[in-house]
Amino acid sequence: MKKQSLTKPDAIIAIVSNDSKFAASVKSDLGAWGFSSIVAHDDAQLTDVMNQQAPTCVVLDVSQPDGLSDSAADRVVDMRLLDRLRSGWKTTPVVAVSSDPSISLAVSLVKHGAFDVVAKSCATKQISRLVDGLAKQQQADHRAMKHHEAHCKSRGMGNYEILGKSQAVMDVLDLVEQVAQSDATVLILGESGTGKELLARAIHHNSLRADKTFVPVNVAALPPNIAESILFGYEKGAYTGADTASKGWCETANGGTLLLDEIGEMDIMLQAKLLRFLQDGTFMRVGANQQQKADVRVIAATNREPKEMVQSHLLREDLYYRLNVFPIRMPPLRERREDIPILANTFLERSAELHRRQVVGFSEGAMECLVQYDWPGNIRQLENLVTRMVLLTRDAFIGISHVPAEIKSTRAGTHVQPEPELSHMKNVERQAIVAALEKSDGNAVAAAKLLGLGQATIYRKIKRFQIELNQIKADSRIS
């Protein structure tokens, strides 16, 4: 009877083995799960399969010839094929199979990019379960990515790093679509770290000015005594040290877009000159006696409430109304929690590649902590934290132990458990692993063989279920 599988009928598995009997057995068992599979006996055949069929997963037999000991196998197994798979087809997971995998061999294979390592003696059923789970996850990720790309493409967004699938993000993208190709002044509101500059860039790149200059200016960083010179430029001799004339940012952005971030930090006298520039595009360099004109689309941004700044006389009321032609509010991360896994996994992938770390994902408990947290620093805080965790962990997955204590707090201020509450099936699985470990006196490798699990898998599950392996070993010595 064919197993129930949610995978697409076109999912293809590549089996790489020079053991014809083993390859046929795996192919048959995968067929019972609804998978098509192709057998490759050498590197050349595998390359053809990878290039022509784009398999969902690769089952790689790294078994050594009979008569070689574990230590010899560790020394002679050639990792070059696995390295080539990971470099050439990095998104395709590889399940490695060995006739008698030692711990050091399993560690080496995982370090070289294998998703899991299983023993050949119990491989066919275990491989089928692994492959089915991998295929489902891969296709779910593929659907999510296609949905996001299709949505962005339909709005001309392209890849401008505005990641997310929440309704809050979709609403923002709708507004971008409406305003991008006009020359209307846009006021972007939002807390620090929400991605206001990314939004401004998206508006620019989807406007008729996309081939012109985008100039971002952090108004809060402008020295008050030379802010006007930086913004509007200056003539030669305008002040001591002005040996040559210089363009300002408004002139540099001619034909393009000027982003004035933290607009409320601008000196109140300079705001009057900016107002004139917004009204008719005219300005005067410092030290000049003649007006100039520039065609610039202005986008302003602030992390403060504009009306409160007007009431506090930090922002001119007439400037506020001139800027507030088309306001867009970037939602804080706590209002788009469903986007946190997308953002966190994207930051993890970038950071792992940049810092050359073999970190591939988050445990369920760690991700639950990230989703529960309120993120006062928003996306910037999340990105910085993920980078820190990638640098600190030595495991393939970021677990709950790697998450700082303050991040483990829920919105209500209570602390989450070390892992989210387990379902009935997860409890059964945990109990089975504990029983196997107790029967094996805390030997994880022996327990894995009893359960038909790969060594890398059982160590992940021990960590996932917070099983105290040292305690089990201690109890076995006492008894």
Side-chain angles (χ1 to χ4, degrees), residues 148-404:
H148 179 72
E149 289 176 353
H151 183 92
C152 290
K153 185 176 181 181
S154 69
R155 287 157 171 74
M157 288 299 298
N159 182 22
Y160 300 114
E161 301 186 31
I162 301 180
L163 301 174
K165 59 182 181 180
S166 64
Q167 188 58 51
V169 168
M170 296 299 104
D171 290 344
V172 168
L173 297 184
D174 285 336
L175 292 174
V176 171
E177 179 187 15
Q178 295 173 37
V179 77
Q181 295 200 8
S182 73
D183 277 336
T185 303
V186 178
L187 178 60
I188 301 176
L189 308 172
E191 298 174 8
S192 294
T194 52
K196 295 188 292 296
E197 184 174 333
L198 285 179
L199 180 59
R201 289 184 183 275
I203 294 171
H204 171 73
H205 284 297
N206 287 278
S207 72
L208 300 177
R209 302 170 179 264
D211 60 339
K212 302 297 183 181
T213 307
F214 175 83
V215 179
V217 179
N218 185 346
V219 175
L222 296 179
N225 58 327
I226 59 172
E228 183 179 354
S229 297
I230 294 174
L231 195 60
F232 297 116
Y234 57 86
E235 293 291 348
K236 179 180 178 180
Y239 50 82
T240 303
D243 298 327
T244 60
S246 177
K247 291 181 179 180
W249 289 127
C250 291
E251 204 170 340
T252 301
N254 188 28
T257 303
L258 176 69
L259 169 63
L260 297 174
D261 198 6
E262 304 308 339
I263 188 65
E265 303 301 321
M266 181 177 287
D267 177 79
I268 199 74
M269 298 300 294
L270 186 55
Q271 289 181 27
K273 297 181 179 181
L274 175 62
L275 179 62
R276 169 57 63 89
F277 179 69
L278 288 171
Q279 288 172 338
D280 56 20
T282 62
F283 66 95
M284 288 183 64
R285 291 181 179 180
V286 175
N289 54 20
Q290 190 173 8
Q291 286 189 338
Q292 296 192 54
K293 195 174 182 69
D295 174 23
V296 177
R297 198 239 187 106
V298 174
I299 300 176
T302 179
N303 62 5
R304 303 171 66 178
E305 174 53 50
K307 290 183 179 180
E308 292 180 1
M309 288 191 290
V310 170
Q311 293 172 358
S312 301
H313 305 290
L314 298 174
L315 181 66
R316 289 175 59 113
E317 186 174 18
D318 49 2
L319 178 60
Y320 164 61
Y321 287 120
R322 176 64 65 175
L323 293 172
N324 197 39
V325 175
F326 197 98
I328 302 179
R329 177 179 177 271
M330 282 297 287
L333 200 49
R334 62 183 175 275
E335 293 181 8
R336 40 179 296 209
R337 294 180 189 274
E338 58 267 53
D339 294 333
I340 291 176
I342 297 173
L343 292 162
N345 281 302
T346 299
F347 297 148
L348 181 143
E349 183 178 345
R350 291 177 188 168
S351 184
E353 182 175 356
L354 176 63
H355 299 292
R356 297 180 295 281
R357 297 304 174 99
Q358 300 296 320
V359 185
V360 297
F362 298 87
S363 74
E364 292 182 23
M367 184 58 74
E368 179 69 15
C369 287
L370 300 186
V371 173
Q372 294 264 355
Y373 188 58
D374 273 351
W375 300 105
N378 293 292
I379 298 172
R380 187 182 297 119
Q381 182 187 7
L382 173 62
E383 183 175 13
N384 291 340
L385 176 68
V386 170
T387 299
R388 177 173 178 266
M389 292 191 295
V390 166
L391 291 172
L392 290 177
T393 184
R394 293 296 180 267
D395 301 320
F397 286 83
I398 291 175
I400 200 167
S401 62
H402 302 113
V403 180

Side-chain angles (χ1 to χ4, degrees), residues 26-99:
V26 174
K27 185 179 178 72
S28 174
D29 202 65
L30 287 172
W33 283 73
F35 290 102
S36 298
S37 53
I38 299 176
V39 177
H41 295 293
D42 54 37
D43 292 12
Q45 291 181 5
L46 176 61
T47 300
D48 289 341
V49 170
M50 298 302 293
N51 289 333
Q52 297 176 18
Q53 302 293 335
T56 302
C57 177
V58 174
V59 177
L60 178 62
D61 183 3
V62 297
S63 299
Q64 299 302 302
D66 293 338
L68 287 178
S69 66
D70 280 351
S71 59
D74 290 348
R75 290 195 301 271
V76 303
V77 70
D78 187 359
M79 298 291 181
R80 286 177 296 178
L81 178 57
L82 185 54
D83 287 338
R84 192 156 61 81
L85 280 168
R86 303 318 303 136
S87 62
W89 300 277
K90 65 171 64 176
T91 60
T92 305
V94 178
V95 176
V97 181
S98 178
S99 54

Side-chain angles (χ1 to χ4, degrees), residues 412-472:
T414 59
H415 291 280
V416 296
Q417 297 300 319
E419 288 289 342
E421 185 177 353
L422 300 176
S423 66
H424 174 69
M425 289 303 296
K426 292 294 184 182
N427 270 315
V428 171
E429 184 180 6
R430 186 185 191 281
Q431 292 167 11
I433 292 172
V434 171
L437 287 167
E438 290 174 344
K439 188 174 182 179
S440 306
D441 296 330
N443 187 319
V445 176
K449 289 183 178 180
L450 287 175
L451 295 168
L453 296 175
Q455 292 177 31
T457 299
I458 197 167
Y459 281 115
R460 281 203 302 271
K461 289 183 180 294
I462 287 171
K463 190 166 189 172
R464 158 75 175 88
F465 294 133
Q466 299 285 299
I467 296 172
E468 297 292 339
L469 189 58
N470 291 333
Q471 186 62 49
I472 292 175

Side-chain angles (χ1 to χ4, degrees), residues 6-38:
L6 299 179
T7 56
K8 295 180 179 179
D10 59 353
I12 297 174
I13 312 304
I15 304 169
V16 187
S17 177
N18 54 17
D19 184 340
S20 300
K21 184 177 179 181
F22 169 73
S25 176
V26 174
K27 185 179 178 72
S28 174
D29 202 65
L30 287 172
W33 283 73
F35 290 102
S36 298
S37 53
I38 299 176

